[in-house]
Amino acid sequence: MKGWRGLAAGAAALAVAVSGCGTSTNSGSGTETKEITVWLMDGSAPTTLTDALNKEFESANGIKVKYEVQKWTGIQEKLTTALASSTPPDVIELGNTQTASFADQGTLADLTADASQFNGGEWLGGLKDSLTLNGKQYGVPFYAANRTVIYRTDLFQAAGIAKPPTSRAEWIDAINKLKAANASNPDFQALYLPGQSWYFLLSLLWDEGGDVAKQDGGKWTGTLDTAQAKAGFEAYKALYDASAAKKVPADIDEAKPQQMEVFGTGNVGMMVGLPWELAGAVKAKPELKDKTAAFPIPSKKAGSTAPVFLGGSNLAIPAASKNAAAAKKYLSLLSSKKYQEMLAEGGAVPGTSKDTAKLATTPLGKAMAESSQNGKVTPVTPKWAAVEAGQNPLKDALTAYLTGAKSLDQATKDASDAVTKAMS
């Protein structure tokens, strides 16, 4: 997945893709590294962090850091070109759903034996899974973010909701109270829930014990038609049906229109969203700043949080890097407590530390930190991209089921078959 703070557009030419790479000079039988090139994505890490990190690394090692910020738009092609060259950058940032594809191509260094120097014992399970292919680890977790339920505190208070829901049943009860308190507004939506919010669907599938696919003997098979997965779809429909008198269309996702814009209209009580979406809503409507908070997506089990998709980035060393030893030192420094706390202060789930105290200083950060401990990722295989970026079967199944175009059994069977075909 693309980093949640890196959404700017841009394109890269071949000449740019292979320029500015790490250099070293031969000294007798060894190699003396003079410079490493680090590619991080636009908006991923606060400038205060990268400035301090690069300065400390240069001072401690006598090695210059050529730090280059990349745009997400066009990065797949740019990385493909750079990694195929003989002079790639030395440290790169990858979306965590991109990592398996590049690892499968043999263009990333195997860092399995080095995990301990990158604080490997502190990696969240879902983040570790995202960079592990065939039992080997091809990177280091950088940061992540996960969805929480962002809500209007003033509307909760007016509806007599004393505290955030801690179970799915309490959540539906809160939805009904919000609808009753705002019955005079025909445009009011207690929960803004488009019909194709498939990342949120994952939380419900996982909470019911289901999943998108399973692997057996190296072969992936869709599992959206299991009883557990079907229960996840039913939970989605229950929330969708309860959310508003005038439902959101079943054939749109959270990006079209941008749900943060809808949330900012004043006609929405809750949305399932990411930190940047709340930030965007507040930027457009500053008065929301003191009227919003967040809580973890509730589980069907009272007092528990539902599993969440951990979207974010990994850091990797290209297999062809001439400066791998220095690059490992760079990743080791970034993995230290000092810089992990700076990531958390910046509003992200830190990649190599389970200490989220610095994140949990705001209501949204606290909700994200709590639910991140129960984070997961989509199937780790190079073939997953065909599911997510193509004619997404999860979206199709949701629309068909919510509109009644297909029965639950037929919608989930068709989706499961499509997943199997795409991943075969």
Side-chain angles (χ1 to χ4, degrees), residues 280-325:
V282 170
K283 183 177 181 180
K285 198 168 186 177
E287 58 266 34
L288 288 177
K289 182 177 180 180
D290 298 322
K291 297 179 180 179
T292 52
F295 57 89
I297 297 172
S299 168
K300 68 173 183 177
K301 180 181 178 182
S304 299
T305 66
V308 289
F309 173 72
L310 284 176
S313 289
N314 296 322
L315 297 169
I317 299 174
S321 168
K322 303 297 191 297
N323 307 300

Side-chain angles (χ1 to χ4, degrees), residues 12 58 64 89 139 146 155 179 194 215 229 290 294 313 315 325 373 378 400:
E58 290 176 343
K64 179 177 174 57
N146 54 266
L155 296 181
K179 284 166 59 179
Q215 186 180 30
D290 298 322
S313 289
L315 297 169
Q373 305 303 308
T378 49

Side-chain angles (χ1 to χ4, degrees), residues 52 189 293 315 383 419:
Q189 296 166 330
L315 297 169
K383 296 182 179 180
V419 168

Side-chain angles (χ1 to χ4, degrees), residues 10 19 40 81 158-159 178 184 219 224 232 240 257 261 295 299 304 310 321 327 382 385 399 414:
S19 67
L40 299 187
T81 301
L178 283 169
S184 62
K219 181 181 179 181
L224 291 169
Y240 179 81
E261 296 174 359
F295 57 89
S299 168
S304 299
L310 284 176
S321 168
T399 298
D414 289 349

